[in-house]
Amino acid sequence: MNPTRLAFIRSTLCRHFRKDTNSARPLEGLKIIDVGCGGGILSEPLARMGAVVTGIDAVDKNIKIARVHADLDPGTSNIEYSCTTAEKLVEEQRKFDAVIALEVIEHVANPAEFCKSLSALTTPGGATVISTINRSMRAYATAIVAAEYILHWLPKGTHQWSSFLTPEELALILKRASVSVKEMAGFVYNPLTGRWSLSDDISVNFIAFGTKDGQ
Amino acid sequence: MNRLLARRFAGNSCLVRVPWRSFCDAAAVNSGTAQAKHAEKQRLTSHSEEYDVAIVGGGMVGMAVACSLASMSLTKHLNVAIIDSNPALVNGITIKKEDPPDPRVSTVTPATISLFKEIGAWEYVQQHRHAYFDKMQVWDYTGLGYTRYNARDVSKEVLGCVVENKVLQSSLLSCIQNADIRKTVFPARLTSMNLNPSSIPTELNGTSSTSPWRGFARLELSDGTCIHAKLVVGADGSKSNVRELSGFKTTGWNYAQNAIICTVEHTVENNCAWQRFLPSGPIAVLPIGENFSNIVWTMSPNESSELKSLTESDFIKSVNHALDYGYGPHPKSSSARDGDLSWFGAGLTSSAGEGFTVPPRVVRLASERMVFPLSLKHANSYVAKHVALVGDAAHTVHPLAGQGVNLGFGDAFALSRVIGEGIAVGSDIGEVSLLRRYEAERRPANIVMMAILDGFQKVYSIDFGPLNIVRAAAFNAANYFSPLKRNIISYASGEQRLPLFT
């Protein structure tokens, strides 16, 4: 799924910040934070695309793994990793051109407060990108029953269906946090080719790109 | 421009003991020796450099990878190393117009020609000898059938172009020299390679005690230099060192056949490609330009050593014999006006109306005769972490349809495109998941082509009455059944990836 998510992020950020899409490092000059970075699976490609990346995660083990892996490639060795939360960074008054939180919001206790923190970390006129799973019947069947219980792609209990957000709810809480959702897309999996692709179908996995009001 | 290049290349650490000689500037040679001494001194003290891509093998396919990377905006910033001990890569290839054609030639399909045009290398090919052909005739010794193909059957102008390998190589070399991608030539052989320099430490105590080269492959060369690269491209031919060192297994067998190749001259210009299947293997005549043709004659090893030792005039007699009445009669020529063809309906290709013709007589041998053993070989996997195989390193085929190097060029362009797609989403270009996309694209298509060529080789090496009649029926079917003929031409031209009626 990662190349597909990156394709969406690359295209929306390039368009928003008016960067050249044919460049090998189109995100040069942008400060980006990857909230819930895990092992760095998103942070590293963003750094290779030229961005100055900060990766944060609440689990210290993830940060350690991410740092070791990032040191293998000179192109990613300047990613700043720290074990902290978005709320703590808001207190430190950090600001970023783009705030990205992929597959995080379905695990937080209070999504509305989380969106407010993400918005506070974004400079006015900057970008906020959130991806999550839709609270739909199809998502229950695929992301929970199939992924956790049948195919064992994820450990059982990774996701709680009740904590999924619908695209409308996400757009609403982002709007209350001063972020207007500009684009949304879905990810679909083709079992024959084993590949994910971007689509208009937001009924299971979806990603939203929004811009912070002001400026 | 050449002197700038010369200085950049000679000044690089741990490299070239031979100073880069520019093509026409004598002054550069003097400055070159001073820089060579400087380079030597630097080599002893500096660390090895890091490269994004290390192409092992600077032949046609390896250089095609380099040129293709240089031509795309997403990949032209990459730092490329080319490892090949051939001095031609450093000194350039001089081609004199008055030289007769070299017997080592390749038939380039229209698909390959358009790929070359895309990267801007075809204009260099056009400056040297090259021969387009728009007609082809295939028949066998039984005289029971023949097929004539014409580019007009698929509304094209050419079926392919025959070019000497040295022209292809020199064109790609000129193309890369004029491109502004960072490239360094290492005139040495690869002696050893380490794709996983060390394992990840189990103790995660936060200290970074890892070597700075862990995300790279490490290559050691025969002159003692060592370089690091994110991706190693194995373009070093059928006896690939990269393939051996990476531990890729291969499947394949030797054909009990050798091929004799040579250049011959006619009294008239030849503009058709001819192939006649004889009992021990096909003889092919390809136009190479002016009144010259290239002969590829496949036969058993004993026959090939016999023919190689014949005098020139006896050899020419055998060639003419093989192309004419040797081994069997001419097929009966039929024209579309014959009543019994009318049930094929409308839409007969124009070449179905062309009668059988004998190839032009050979009057002179214009080069030495070279003999090569033939085999089929296929790597069981093309990619692994930090390494990808292209061209003959991945697959070796029978030359009977002139497809070999076209498969290689197909690989080269596919790999560079996949690299570009990876860079677009910030991937590490040595990652297996990215390289597998290249393998998934090329391997099935290559296997199908190899199976077809192998099938032909086996079917045509048996002289058995009923089988001969089946083969003759196949010739006639291909000649008169237009959808089949168009399909064959499309597939052989590289326009279609798989030989299905799509």
Side-chain angles (χ1 to χ4, degrees):
Chain A
M1 209 200 279
N2 211 30
T4 323
R5 310 191 301 189
L6 283 159
F8 178 84
I9 291 172
R10 180 199 169 97
S11 113
T12 48
L13 292 186
C14 279
R15 212 173 314 134
H16 179 68
F17 292 105
R18 285 187 244 279
K19 299 284 187 181
D20 174 18
T21 38
N22 284 326
S23 156
R25 292 173 69 85
L27 306 180
E28 198 87 53
L30 292 178
K31 290 211 307 276
I32 304 189
I33 179 169
D34 178 10
V35 179
C37 61
I41 192 177
L42 182 72
S43 303
E44 287 188 15
L46 290 174
R48 288 196 196 101
M49 286 199 253
V52 173
V53 180
T54 305
I56 66 171
D57 198 286
V59 178
D60 194 47
K61 189 162 149 227
N62 289 345
I63 295 293
K64 290 205 165 71
I65 294 175
R67 211 173 265 143
V68 167
H69 197 265
D71 284 340
L72 294 179
D73 183 353
T76 56
S77 48
N78 53 1
I79 300 177
E80 182 201 334
Y81 283 116
S82 56
C83 177
T84 177
T85 61
E87 291 72 26
K88 289 213 192 81
L89 286 187
V90 172
E91 284 167 28
E92 293 172 28
Q93 306 215 337
R94 297 282 297 272
K95 289 270 189 250
F96 299 89
D97 298 306
V99 173
I100 306 187
L102 302 189
E103 316 293 317
V104 179
I105 197 168
E106 64 261 26
H107 299 285
V108 302
N110 190 336
E113 284 305 313
F114 182 67
C115 282
K116 287 216 173 68
S117 305
L118 295 184
S119 170
L121 289 172
T122 320
T123 62
T128 308
V129 183
I130 295 182
S131 85
T132 184
I133 306 178
N134 196 343
R135 194 180 65 248
S136 67
M137 291 318 302
R138 259 188 78 193
Y140 186 75
T142 48
I144 295 188
V145 175
E148 290 179 18
Y149 291 87
I150 300 178
L151 298 169
H152 303 294
W153 285 351
L154 298 168
K156 294 194 185 58
T158 305
H159 289 125
Q160 293 303 313
W161 188 78
S162 51
S163 55
F164 289 164
L165 291 170
T166 65
E168 297 80 15
E169 288 166 357
L170 181 63
L172 194 59
I173 58 177
L174 279 172
K175 188 74 193 136
R176 290 211 190 111
S178 317
V179 172
S180 321
V181 171
K182 292 277 159 49
E183 265 186 72
M184 239 189 238
F187 300 122
V188 293
Y189 180 69
N190 182 340
L192 294 173
T193 60
R195 302 261 287 267
W196 289 89
S197 52
L198 272 178
S199 108
D200 288 328
D201 179 1
I202 51 175
S203 60
V204 186
N205 296 80
F206 71 98
I207 188 167
F209 162 80
T211 52
K212 172 94 176 278
D213 299 335
Q215 209 189 44
Chain B
M1 168 72 167
N2 277 336
R3 220 178 305 156
L4 255 153
L5 274 172
R7 230 169 279 161
R8 206 197 310 166
F9 281 35
N12 267 328
S13 55
C14 67
L15 293 182
V16 196
R17 287 213 198 100
V18 174
W20 171 277
R21 249 173 261 135
S22 61
F23 285 35
C24 48
D25 202 335
V29 178
N30 288 328
S31 62
T33 35
Q35 264 131 27
K37 283 201 193 122
H38 175 67
E40 263 289 334
K41 186 168 142 213
Q42 267 196 303
R43 188 179 79 83
L44 299 169
T45 50
S46 69
H47 300 292
S48 43
E49 278 191 58
E50 64 181 57
Y51 293 89
D52 297 303
V53 182
I55 303 176
V56 180
M60 296 187 281
V61 178
M63 295 308 282
V65 177
C67 291
S68 183
L69 291 173
S71 71
M72 296 192 294
S73 56
L74 280 171
T75 51
K76 60 184 187 199
H77 66 288
L78 294 174
N79 194 359
V80 177
I82 300 172
I83 300 165
D84 195 316
S85 51
N86 183 353
L89 284 171
V90 179
N91 304 334
I93 304 173
T94 33
I95 301 179
K96 294 202 219 78
K97 260 192 155 56
E98 55 274 11
D99 280 345
D102 197 86
R104 275 163 303 197
V105 307
S106 299
T107 314
V108 175
T109 57
T112 305
I113 296 176
S114 36
L115 289 170
F116 265 64
K117 284 186 176 149
E118 256 175 50
I119 63 173
W122 192 252
E123 52 183 86
Y124 297 105
V125 173
Q126 289 173 314
Q127 292 167 10
H128 301 283
R129 190 188 291 123
H130 61 290
Y132 291 103
F133 62 95
D134 59 349
K135 296 194 278 288
M136 190 158 121
Q137 178 174 291
V138 185
W139 73 113
D140 69 357
Y141 61 94
T142 58
L144 295 171
Y146 70 99
T147 315
R148 279 191 77 92
Y149 299 98
N150 195 309
R152 270 176 290 136
D153 296 340
V154 290
S155 320
K156 291 266 159 55
E157 285 182 19
V158 298
L159 287 175
C161 185
V162 185
V163 190
E164 290 158 83
N165 288 354
K166 66 181 188 198
V167 168
L168 284 171
Q169 201 166 346
S170 146
S171 310
L172 290 166
L173 202 53
S174 308
C175 181
I176 192 83
Q177 277 164 353
N178 293 333
D180 46 74
I181 190 172
R182 282 176 295 162
K183 63 252 176 205
T184 315
V185 176
F186 289 85
R189 281 178 308 106
L190 180 67
T191 50
S192 78
M193 194 165 69
N194 188 346
L195 295 173
N196 287 301
S198 45
S199 53
I200 298 194
T202 48
E203 215 191 303
L204 301 171
N205 55 8
T207 55
S208 180
S209 56
T210 59
S211 104
W213 301 115
R214 280 232 324 270
F216 291 81
R218 187 193 154 88
L219 296 98
E220 269 159 40
L221 308 184
S222 55
D223 61 358
T225 47
C226 74
I227 62 174
H228 291 87
K230 292 259 190 64
L231 174 64
V232 178
V233 177
D236 45 349
S238 52
K239 295 191 194 64
S240 167
N241 214 354
V242 172
R243 191 185 60 216
E244 296 297 318
L245 292 171
S246 314
F248 289 117
K249 300 258 182 329
T250 57
T251 312
W253 44 85
N254 290 324
Y255 294 118
Q257 288 181 323
N258 287 353
I260 288 193
I261 61 173
C262 60
T263 313
V264 298
E265 201 176 351
H266 313 280
T267 48
V268 294
E269 196 180 343
N270 173 24
N271 52 19
C272 175
W274 313 88
Q275 178 144 293
R276 187 179 191 210
F277 286 93
L278 302 176
S280 55
I283 178 169
V285 182
L286 298 167
I288 183 61
E290 297 140 33
N291 289 355
F292 294 104
S293 286
N294 178 268
I295 303 252
V296 179
W297 195 352
T298 308
M299 61 191 63
S300 70
N302 291 334
E303 288 172 350
S304 68
S305 22
E306 234 181 79
L307 274 167
K308 187 170 157 114
S309 50
L310 286 180
T311 60
E312 263 191 43
S313 54
D314 283 340
F315 179 74
I316 293 175
K317 280 206 198 90
S318 325
V319 169
N320 284 326
H321 182 72
L323 293 172
D324 200 347
Y325 279 107
Y327 307 93
H330 289 174
K332 193 166 79 84
S333 198
S334 46
S335 74
R337 288 183 302 252
D338 286 0
D340 60 355
L341 291 180
S342 61
W343 64 273
F344 279 102
L348 265 188
T349 54
S350 59
S351 55
E354 289 171 27
F356 172 81
T357 333
V358 182
R361 279 188 65 81
V362 170
V363 297
R364 193 176 75 86
L365 184 63
S367 78
E368 56 161 316
R369 287 158 268 177
M370 298 178 157
V371 178
F372 297 104
L374 298 178
S375 60
L376 178 144
K377 201 187 281 195
H378 195 233
N380 293 350
S381 170
Y382 289 3
V383 304
K385 189 161 177 222
H386 297 306
V387 70
L389 300 178
V390 291
D392 280 359
H395 43 74
T396 312
V397 302
H398 198 280
L400 65 76
Q403 293 293 333
V405 80
N406 294 290
L407 294 179
F409 286 130
D411 291 348
F413 292 106
L415 178 63
S416 71
R417 189 172 17 90
V418 167
I419 292 176
E421 286 170 8
I423 291 182
V425 288
S427 312
D428 176 358
I429 57 176
E431 253 169 39
V432 180
S433 50
L434 177 69
L435 298 173
R436 288 254 176 251
R437 289 224 299 260
Y438 151 71
E439 185 187 61
E441 186 183 321
R442 292 303 302 169
R443 201 153 176 268
N446 289 344
I447 287 181
V448 169
M449 176 64 82
M450 290 176 72
I452 291 178
L453 295 178
D454 192 58
F456 270 112
Q457 193 274 340
K458 291 191 161 53
V459 164
Y460 282 98
S461 55
I462 306 170
D463 183 13
F464 179 51
L467 188 59
N468 292 353
I469 307 234
V470 168
R471 291 201 305 243
F475 274 128
N476 285 313
N479 203 22
Y480 298 114
F481 187 44
S482 315
L484 175 62
K485 180 183 280 194
R486 290 202 188 95
N487 210 269
I488 291 174
I489 297 180
S490 263
Y491 180 58
S493 304
E495 313 286 343
Q496 247 173 263
R497 232 167 56 87
L498 296 167
L500 303 162
F501 280 89
T502 46

